[in-house]
């Protein structure tokens, strides 16, 4: 058998073949790793790799590539990297790019230097920008403007103005940057001074940006005359006005209190954005033209422009101020239809609106839908429960707030203390009062002191109240003294009432409430001579008692009643109905409370005066104008009197209605002869 012989391969040939194979595999592995790490093709070069990485927001990796090459990058690479650093505001990476230009001996021209200046300015490092600016052998207009704009934006106006005054040439951007810097940082007079200097400069022409800033400065002062001068300049020069200038004009007239002219500007605007709509709506509200504001909001919803959260919040807060729940519900419904961010502060405004309108059930429903309620929402719900006679719920939600990790603020504690006041929880209220400073590290405010004095005075604990007043670190305000006076009225504390009234006379001598309350205390004590002195003092000072006014909305029409009012077209029916109700009320055990009727007249006349108090007129009209069983909601500008409070309890039982009265202090929910305040208000 012939032996099979193995071909001999020289060792050098075998080694050479293996080495070539391993080397090829090594190169392929590197190429594959690069493909995995950097998404480029084999033909892509370094510049393309940087481009791709920057497009994919992998700026750090793109900058790191600078240190992996053995040649100097082109100016295009540096420009790409600097632009990416500006776009993503990565200052440290930008500094590394700048350092690499120095290390590679790349000569920075004025264009590349300007790009670095812009990067440093926009990333907030004006120290680096100033160092580069000082090193530049040649600066152009862009260099100066970049530095001025950077300093102005950060509020370093002295440095901006110094550079502005030193620069050899200026263009519109230079003027605009300096003027808008003054406007943005609440220095309107200097902005207008510079604007006038610009107008005197023959080479400078004001453009829409300059004029918008000048109008904003006039609005900030506010100075209608200066604003009208600029408006006149706009008309004379026949500039093509855009939305920015129109909005600035609208803001000017609105802030200067010239609402009719603001509305004229608004109506002339061909293209109204959401900012213009929101500004005009809010100006109407601020000027007391709420119906016009609500009407404009409805126009906005039909305009095709979508309201933003500022629009919604402003309208809802105004609904809360006027207890216009039906309008608030309209806004809520619209928000649901168009969709809204459940985390926006407009949702907090919804909670606030429903709480202020006495609908705590709806407020809680909205609150429960919030992913992470903010402090405003928590506080609105707590205050809402407190004012609506549900103190237990108010305090329950305060404890939930603490458990949630949300830190209460000073306003939250006003709601908590109010809840304790309305419920008569004196010791609990004092515990919360002391915890404000001791547990939560907050300072007591004047409102906190007013609440705790109200709490103590209502319960007749006058010694403790006086101790707090005498030792509090801040000066007692009118709300504190009014709370004390109110407690004295409840308990007939004449001496302390005189002290509170004397303090109130000094703070607000023209407020009729002080005189009326003191006169009521004297009247209840039968001191009619003292009552006469108070009334004479009011006459001598020309002080007129603020008339009690109540109103009710029926079929979206507001009906307003004053005490003894006979102007309503259904007055005779209302009075007849009240006479019949009075008979039924007395049969049920009602006894008119004439203690606080000021006039020293016969008892029968006192009772007659009580029958036609404004809230009773409004309640009677509501009952007559709605189907049986319909809840009645009445609003009053003053605190409801004791007799009306007692009387409406009887009325709710007789007519089998839920009657809600919101007075100046709180909500009272009367049902089946019982009030939610438990007769403690």
């Amino acid at each position: 058998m012939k032996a099979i012989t193995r071909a001999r391969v020289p060792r050098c040939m075998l080694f050479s073949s293996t080495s070539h194979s391993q080397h090829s595999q090594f190169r392929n592995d590197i190429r594959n790793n690069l493909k995995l790490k950097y998404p480029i093709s084999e033909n892509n070069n370094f510049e393309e790799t940087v481009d791709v990485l920057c497009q994919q927001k992998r700026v750090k990796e793109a900058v790191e590539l600078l240190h992996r090459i053995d040649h100097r990058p082109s100016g295009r690479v540096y420009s790409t990297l600097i632009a990416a650093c500006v776009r993503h505001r990565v200052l440290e990476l930008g500094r590394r790019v700048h350092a690499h230009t120095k290390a590679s001996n790349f000569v920075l021209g004025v264009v590349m230097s300007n790009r670095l200046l812009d990067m440093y300015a926009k990333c907030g490092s004006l120290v680096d920008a100033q160092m580069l600016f000082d090193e530049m052998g040649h600066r152009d207009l862009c260099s100066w403007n970049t530095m001025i704009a950077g300093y102005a934006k950060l509020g370093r106006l002295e440095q901006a103005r110094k550079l502005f005054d030193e620069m050899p040439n200026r263009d519109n951007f230079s003027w605009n940057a300096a003027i808008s810097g003054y406007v943005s940082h609440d220095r309107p007079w200097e902005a207008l001074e510079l604007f006038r200097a610009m107008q005197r400069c023959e080479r400078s022409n004001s453009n829409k940006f300059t004029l918008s800033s000048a109008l904003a400065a006039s609005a900030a002062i506010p100075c209608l005359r200066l604003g009208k001068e600029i408006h006149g300049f706009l008309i004379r020069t026949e500039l093509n006005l855009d939305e920015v200038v129109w909005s600035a004009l609208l803001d000017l007239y609105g802030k200067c209190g010239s609402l009719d002219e603001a509305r004229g500007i608004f109506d002339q605007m061909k293209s109204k954005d959401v900012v213009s709509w929101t500004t005009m709506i809010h100006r109407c509200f601020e000027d007391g033209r709420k119906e016009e504001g609500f009407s404009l909001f409805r126009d906005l919803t039909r305009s095709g422009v979508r309201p933003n959260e500022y629009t919604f919040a402003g309208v809802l807060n105004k609904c809360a101020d006027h207890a216009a729940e039906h309008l608030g519900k309209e806004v809520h419904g619209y928000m649901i239809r168009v969709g809204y961010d459940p985390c926006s502060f407009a949702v907090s405004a919804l909670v606030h609106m429903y709480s202020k309108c006495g609908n705590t059930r709806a407020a809680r429903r909205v609150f429960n839908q919030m992913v992470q309620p903010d402090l405003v929402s928590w506080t609105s719900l707590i205050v809402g429960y407190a004012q609506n006679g549900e103190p237990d719920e108010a305090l329950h939600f305060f404890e939930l707030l603490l458990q949630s990790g949300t830190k209460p603020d000073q306003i939250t504690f006003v709601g908590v203390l109010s809840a304790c006041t309305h419920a008569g929880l004196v010791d609990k209220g004092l515990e919360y009062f002391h915890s404000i400073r001791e547990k939560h590290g907050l300072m007591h405010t004047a409102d906190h002191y007013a609440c705790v004095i109200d709490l103590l005075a209502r319960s007749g604990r006058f010694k403790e109240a006086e101790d707090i007043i005498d030792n509090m670190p801040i000066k007692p305000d009118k709300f504190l003294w009014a709370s004390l006076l109110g407690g004295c009225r409840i308990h007939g504390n004449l001496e302390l009432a005189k002290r509170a009234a004397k303090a109130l006379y000094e703070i607000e001598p023209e407020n009729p409430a002080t005189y009326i309350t003191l006169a009521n205390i004297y009247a209840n004590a039968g001191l009619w001579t003292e009552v006469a002195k108070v009334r004479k003092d009011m006459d001598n000072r020309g002080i007129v008692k603020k008339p009690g006014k109540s109103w009710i909305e029926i079929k979206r029409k507001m009906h307003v009643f004053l005490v003894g009012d006979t102007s309503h077209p259904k007055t005779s029916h209302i009075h007849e109905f009240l006479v019949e109700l009075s008979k039924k009320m007395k049969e049920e055990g009602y006894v008119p409370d004439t203690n606080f009727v000021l006039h020293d007249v016969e008892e029968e006349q006192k009772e007659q005066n009580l029958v036609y108090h404004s809230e009773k007129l409004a309640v009677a009209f509501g009952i007559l104008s709605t189907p049986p069983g319909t809840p009645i909601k009445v609003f009053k500008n003053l605190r409801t009197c004791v007799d009306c409070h007692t009387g409406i309890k009887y009325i709710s039982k007789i007519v089998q209605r839920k009657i809600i009265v919101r007075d100046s202090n709180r909500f009272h929910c009367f049902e089946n002869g019982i009030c939610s305040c438990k007769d403690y208000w």
Side-chain angles (χ1 to χ4, degrees):
M1 184 175 175
K2 190 175 178 180
I4 300 175
T5 59
R6 183 180 179 187
R8 289 181 61 85
V9 180
R11 287 183 61 85
C12 63
M13 290 288 291
L14 184 63
F15 178 79
S16 176
S17 175
T18 304
S19 177
H20 178 75
S21 174
Q22 288 176 336
H23 184 62
S24 297
Q25 184 62 43
F26 180 69
R27 284 189 301 177
N28 287 335
D29 288 345
I30 291 175
R31 189 179 293 112
N32 290 332
N33 286 337
L34 285 173
K35 285 182 179 179
L36 289 172
K37 189 167 185 180
Y38 305 115
I40 59 175
S41 68
E42 291 183 15
N43 297 325
N44 275 350
N45 58 27
F46 172 69
E47 290 186 7
E48 291 171 333
T49 306
V50 170
D51 286 343
V52 172
L53 289 172
C54 289
Q55 288 168 9
Q56 294 187 345
K57 302 179 182 179
R58 296 160 66 180
V59 186
K60 184 177 181 182
E61 293 172 69
V63 173
E64 286 174 349
L65 283 182
L66 288 174
H67 304 285
R68 297 186 182 185
I69 57 173
D70 54 6
H71 63 277
R72 185 171 65 196
S74 66
R76 180 180 173 279
V77 170
Y78 284 129
S79 294
T80 300
L81 290 170
I82 292 168
C85 292
V86 172
R87 194 161 50 248
H88 300 289
R89 299 294 192 269
V90 280
L91 175 61
E92 286 306 315
L93 294 180
R95 282 176 173 152
R96 286 172 62 180
V97 175
H98 187 191
H100 195 276
T101 64
K102 295 179 179 179
S104 66
N105 294 318
F106 181 84
V107 178
L108 291 173
V110 67
V111 174
M112 192 67 71
S113 294
N114 286 343
R115 287 174 182 167
L116 282 167
L117 279 180
D118 182 61
M119 185 270 296
Y120 283 130
K122 287 180 177 174
C123 290
S125 181
L126 289 175
V127 173
D128 288 308
Q130 187 66 57
M131 287 174 62
L132 175 59
F133 183 79
D134 294 338
E135 292 169 2
M136 291 172 65
H138 175 67
R139 305 166 185 149
D140 63 6
L141 194 57
C142 180
S143 313
W144 289 93
N145 285 344
T146 300
M147 292 301 298
I148 291 167
Y151 278 123
K153 186 176 180 181
L154 292 181
R156 296 171 65 176
L157 301 177
E158 280 67 30
Q159 291 94 324
R161 184 60 184 267
K162 182 176 182 294
L163 286 170
F164 179 84
D165 291 338
E166 291 174 354
M167 65 190 305
N169 298 299
R170 303 185 185 98
D171 62 1
N172 275 358
F173 185 92
S174 317
W175 289 97
N176 292 339
I179 292 169
S180 64
Y182 282 126
V183 173
S184 300
H185 294 88
D186 300 322
R187 291 166 68 170
W189 286 110
E190 287 153 294
L192 288 172
E193 178 190 345
L194 203 56
F195 171 70
R196 284 175 171 152
M198 181 182 183
Q199 288 182 308
R200 291 192 296 268
C201 183
E202 294 180 1
R203 291 170 295 173
S204 300
N205 293 312
S206 301
N207 60 19
K208 59 186 180 182
F209 301 107
T210 326
L211 294 163
S212 297
S213 294
L215 287 168
S218 301
I221 291 174
C223 182
L224 184 60
R225 180 183 58 80
L226 292 173
K228 283 189 172 182
E229 285 180 15
I230 300 166
H231 189 183
F233 176 82
L234 282 167
I235 295 170
R236 290 193 303 276
T237 52
E238 297 183 345
L239 277 174
N240 184 23
L241 306 187
D242 65 359
E243 289 180 10
V244 176
V245 180
W246 281 112
S247 295
L249 280 168
L250 179 62
D251 196 46
L252 163 78
Y253 286 115
K255 286 183 176 176
C256 290
S258 187
L259 195 63
D260 289 333
E261 288 180 273
R263 183 62 192 265
I265 293 292
F266 179 80
D267 291 339
Q268 289 179 59
M269 295 172 69
K270 294 179 181 178
S271 179
K272 304 179 182 76
D273 62 8
V274 65
V275 176
S276 305
W277 280 100
T278 303
T279 300
M280 192 66 235
I281 290 167
H282 289 183
R283 291 282 172 252
C284 288
F285 288 147
E286 288 174 359
D287 204 51
R289 290 156 66 162
K290 65 182 180 70
E291 294 303 329
E292 186 176 350
F294 289 133
S295 176
L296 272 172
F297 176 76
R298 291 192 180 100
D299 291 341
L300 168 59
T301 61
R302 295 188 289 263
S303 70
V305 177
R306 180 174 175 145
N308 60 23
E309 57 184 342
Y310 294 97
T311 325
F312 288 133
V315 176
L316 288 168
N317 286 332
K318 192 53 60 175
C319 291
D321 292 342
H322 293 277
E325 186 181 355
H326 72 279
L327 290 172
K329 285 181 176 178
E330 279 186 28
V331 179
H332 189 187
Y334 179 80
M335 290 170 67
I336 292 171
R337 289 195 299 275
V338 301
Y340 62 92
D341 181 1
C343 298
S344 73
F345 57 80
V347 186
S348 298
L350 267 175
V351 176
H352 176 65
M353 182 275 295
Y354 281 123
S355 295
K356 285 293 292 287
C357 291
N359 193 341
T360 51
R361 185 175 298 177
R364 183 168 180 173
R365 189 163 56 245
V366 173
F367 180 87
N368 289 339
Q369 293 169 359
M370 300 179 75
V371 179
Q372 190 172 358
D374 60 8
L375 183 58
V376 174
S377 303
W378 282 104
T379 301
S380 295
L381 198 62
I382 290 166
V383 172
Y385 278 126
Q387 291 185 335
N388 283 277
E390 300 176 82
D392 292 339
E393 286 294 319
L395 298 181
H396 170 68
F397 270 87
F398 177 68
E399 294 301 326
L400 290 179
L401 178 152
L402 297 179
Q403 292 170 23
S404 74
T406 304
K407 292 185 178 180
D409 66 4
Q410 292 162 320
I411 299 173
T412 312
F413 277 104
V414 174
V416 172
L417 293 173
S418 295
C420 294
T421 299
H422 292 315
L425 301 174
V426 183
D427 293 330
K428 188 72 173 174
L430 288 171
E431 181 183 328
Y432 281 126
F433 175 76
H434 293 302
S435 75
I436 292 172
R437 186 170 182 176
E438 296 170 3
K439 185 176 179 181
H440 299 280
L442 300 170
M443 296 297 293
H444 285 124
T445 67
D447 288 335
H448 296 153
Y449 281 107
C451 284
V452 80
I453 294 304
D454 193 22
L455 179 72
L456 292 167
R458 283 172 185 271
S459 62
R461 292 165 65 166
F462 294 110
K463 179 64 172 64
E464 292 169 78
E466 283 195 278
D467 287 343
I468 289 176
I469 293 171
D470 293 338
N471 293 289
M472 58 190 285
I474 57 178
K475 188 176 180 180
D477 65 4
K478 62 182 181 180
F479 300 107
L480 182 148
W481 290 116
S483 296
L484 183 63
L485 187 61
C488 292
R489 181 190 59 80
I490 294 169
H491 297 281
N493 190 326
L494 282 172
E495 291 306 312
L496 199 51
K498 291 177 185 177
R499 179 187 176 186
K502 181 181 178 182
L504 285 167
Y505 290 151
E506 293 175 359
I507 297 172
E508 44 178 9
E510 306 303 316
N511 188 352
T514 306
Y515 298 87
I516 298 301
T517 305
L518 185 61
N520 279 332
I521 296 172
Y522 285 135
N524 192 39
L527 300 174
W528 296 106
T529 303
E530 298 300 322
V531 172
K533 287 180 182 178
V534 173
R535 293 179 64 81
K536 185 178 180 181
D537 196 17
M538 289 179 68
D539 291 338
N540 292 338
R541 292 172 178 265
I543 297 171
V544 180
K545 178 187 176 184
K546 185 178 181 180
K549 180 174 70 173
S550 298
W551 59 96
I552 184 171
E553 188 171 342
I554 304 292
K555 295 180 181 178
R556 299 201 172 184
K557 182 180 178 182
M558 199 70 71
H559 298 263
V560 182
F561 298 89
L562 299 174
V563 61
D565 199 353
T566 58
S567 62
H568 196 277
K570 291 193 175 182
T571 293
S572 59
H573 295 294
I574 295 170
H575 285 198
E576 287 173 11
F577 182 63
L578 281 173
V579 170
E580 290 300 315
L581 268 181
S582 294
K583 292 177 182 177
K584 293 179 181 179
M585 288 160 61
K586 287 180 179 179
E587 290 172 3
E588 291 286 334
Y590 163 69
V591 177
D593 189 336
T594 60
N595 285 333
F596 297 119
V597 178
L598 280 183
H599 300 287
D600 187 13
V601 295
E602 295 298 322
E603 198 69 19
E604 185 177 344
Q605 183 60 48
K606 288 183 182 181
E607 292 184 20
Q608 190 71 17
N609 292 343
L610 291 171
V611 171
Y612 303 118
H613 275 193
S614 64
E615 56 264 59
K616 286 180 182 173
L617 294 172
V619 167
F621 176 70
I623 295 169
L624 290 169
S625 306
T626 56
T630 305
I632 304 295
K633 185 178 283 189
V634 169
F635 300 88
K636 186 178 181 182
N637 65 330
L638 303 176
R639 184 180 182 276
T640 191
C641 76
V642 175
D643 179 75
C644 284
H645 188 270
T646 303
I648 296 172
K649 284 198 296 182
Y650 279 95
I651 293 172
S652 70
K653 183 178 181 180
I654 292 167
V655 300
Q656 289 296 294
R657 299 280 194 113
K658 182 178 182 179
I659 302 172
I660 300 170
V661 177
R662 195 188 91 166
D663 66 8
S664 60
N665 197 40
R666 62 170 296 159
F667 277 92
H668 298 269
C669 182
F670 301 92
E671 198 166 10
N672 198 30
I674 299 171
C675 180
S676 59
C677 75
K678 299 179 178 62
D679 298 336
Y680 193 88
W681 86 104

